[in-house]
């Protein structure tokens, strides 16, 4: 599906700043839909002169007026249409009679979207009247706030250009709403907002109280409470503060204050309240577990490095060449695992940047290459981020394949090149480890090879990575010879 910016850039002559204003409005218009108990449709004039629906949202507080998705629908620019009247006369236009969609009566209202001196689009506020009933105090407060926000949209005063609308976890109308007059006195508080302030420690009613002073007196942290009360006062003066959190008596609330300035008058503010105590408690638990996991990775890395150092010391003391070589290979294998755990200890979560790991492995293998031959390592493509349960065995596999190329591909030559190339798809990772050395011996078979390194590779690819590997001589070219190891690894677990 095309995004809002895609539709606007493809079908309208709006400038980037005007498109940005519409995107800000869409980021905040769920608030307006919920206050209005109505669907919102955003329409813009296309370069062909008709109207195109570029965005749509439905209320969570009432029944929808549109079961179908209307984004992408066009309609002619009818001079009598409420949308056309709102665009032409730059005022809110409500249809006098409901529009019947089958058995469903819908009241439509056109709201021009102003930015500076220009009207860049129009909102259609469509209310399903089939569920109409005598409005309660909550519904009247919602509708009054919606009417003032609609007037501000028509005047170019909403959405605020410096707000933080549309963020994840943003307080919504149903979470808790307070209406303040111009002095900051609470004139209406929804039941959820009252419950939130009760949990914060308010014993009496919040109606009739100055919310900035009341909030400031609740939190034990005077600095934090001062920030929240200052944000509410800023909204009363016409500012657009961002959302803030406050803790008191073991309760955490998220607060966002919106100024109400229809006609340029300071009518007060809407304050949205959300109790996020459970969410923050889970966040703290997850953060603690993540820190514990990273500490475990750090300690495992340290222990592996200690083991590698002990093996290295032992290799210097043994007399036989075969024993020394075996210990040196063990040092290299242990060190490759330690590199992954070191990266996991620094990462957030279980994903690691495998390209950084591979670069360190390339350097490590290059350091132990025979001094009489010059081996150049190259990396192409990107592995990206991989889960730790894939990164650890893959690091060992690539280390073994690169070390195998260093030890066997360039015997009797002055050296060559080892290439490691990644080809990552959505659910599969392809890896090529190729050298331009002497190639495989005649009759070589990976399945029957008794080399320990290749046995480790075969076991890890089949059991840990659940992939497949092919090892064959490279096809002929400008420089025939060499060996290619091709791996195909599934990324989904």
């Amino acid at each position: 599906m095309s995004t809002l910016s895609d539709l606007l850039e493809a079908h309208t002559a709006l400038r980037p700043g005007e498109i940005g204003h519409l995107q800000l409005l869409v980021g905040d218009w769920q608030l307006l839909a919920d206050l209005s108990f109505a669907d919102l449709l955003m329409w813009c004039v296309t370069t062909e002169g008709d109207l195109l629906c570029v965005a749509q949202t439905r209320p969570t507080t009432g029944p929808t007026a549109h079961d179908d998705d209307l984004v992408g629908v066009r309609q002619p620019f009818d001079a009598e249409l409420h949308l056309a009247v709102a665009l032409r006369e730059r005022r809110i236009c409500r249809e006098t009679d409901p529009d019947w969609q089958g058995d469903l009566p819908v009241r439509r209202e056109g709201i021009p979207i102003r930015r500076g001196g220009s009207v860049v689009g129009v909102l259609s506020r469509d209310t399903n009247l089939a569920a109409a009933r005598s409005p309660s105090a909550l519904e009247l407060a919602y509708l009054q706030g919606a009417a003032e926000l609609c007037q501000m949209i028509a005047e170019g005063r909403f959405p605020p250009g410096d707000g933080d609308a549309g963020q994840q976890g943003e307080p919504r109308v149903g979470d808790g709403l307070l209406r303040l007059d111009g002095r900051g006195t609470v004139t209406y508080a929804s039941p959820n907002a009252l419950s939130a302030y009760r949990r914060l420690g308010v014993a009496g009613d919040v109606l009739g109280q100055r919310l900035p002073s009341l909030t400031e007196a609740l939190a034990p942290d005077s600095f934090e409470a001062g920030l929240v009360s200052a944000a509410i006062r800023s909204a009363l003066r016409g500012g657009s503060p961002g959302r803030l959190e406050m803790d008191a008596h073991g309760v955490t609330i998220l607060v966002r204050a919106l100024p109400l300035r229809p006609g340029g008058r300071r009518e007060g503010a809407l304050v949205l309240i959300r109790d996020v105590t459970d969410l923050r408690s889970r966040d703290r638990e997850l953060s603690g577990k993540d820190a514990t996991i990273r500490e475990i990775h750090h300690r495992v890395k340290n222990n592996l490095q200690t083991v590698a150092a002990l093996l290295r010391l032992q290799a210097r003391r043994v007399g036989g060449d075969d024993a020394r070589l075996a210990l040196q290979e063990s040092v290299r294998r242990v060190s490759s695992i330690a590199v992954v755990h070191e990266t996991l200890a620094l990462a957030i979560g279980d994903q690691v940047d495998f390209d950084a790991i591979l670069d360190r492995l390339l350097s490590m293998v290059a350091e132990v290459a025979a001094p009489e031959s010059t081996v150049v390592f190259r990396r192409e493509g990107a592995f990206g981020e991989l889960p730790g349960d894939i990164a650890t065995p893959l690091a060992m596999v690539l280390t073994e394949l690169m070390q195998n190329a260093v030890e066997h591909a360039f015997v009797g030559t002055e050296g060559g090149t080892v290439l490691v190339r990644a080809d990552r798809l959505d659910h599969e990772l392809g890896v090529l480890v190729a050298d331009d050395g002497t190639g495989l011996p005649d009759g070589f078979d990976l399945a029957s090879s008794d080399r320990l390194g290749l046995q480790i590779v075969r076991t890890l690819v089949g059991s840990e990575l659940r992939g497949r590997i092919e090892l064959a001589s490279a096809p002929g070219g400008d420089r025939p010879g060499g060996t290619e190891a091709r791996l195909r690894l599934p990324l989904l677990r």
Side-chain angles (χ1 to χ4, degrees), residues 340 344 350-352 354 357 383 385-398 424 427-429 431 460 464-466 489-493:
V340 179
L344 283 167
D350 192 39
Q351 298 284 329
V352 294
F354 195 80
I357 291 176
F383 287 82
E385 291 192 342
L386 295 177
D389 61 345
I390 292 179
T392 301
L394 181 57
M396 287 196 65
V397 167
L398 294 181
R424 180 164 181 168
H427 306 307
E428 189 178 55
L429 175 65
V431 183
L460 290 176
E464 296 292 327
L465 296 172
R466 286 181 271 180
L489 310 174
L491 294 178
L492 293 181
R493 287 288 185 258

Side-chain angles (χ1 to χ4, degrees), residues 16 26 100 112 123 135 157-158 171 195 245 250-251 287 289 329 355 362 377-378 401 429 434 437 464:
V26 167
W100 287 82
L123 285 184
R157 305 179 190 276
F158 187 84
S195 297
E245 285 189 11
V251 176
S287 178
K289 290 178 180 178
E329 289 180 348
D355 295 301
L362 291 173
F377 291 89
R378 289 195 297 116
L401 292 174
L429 175 65
E464 296 292 327

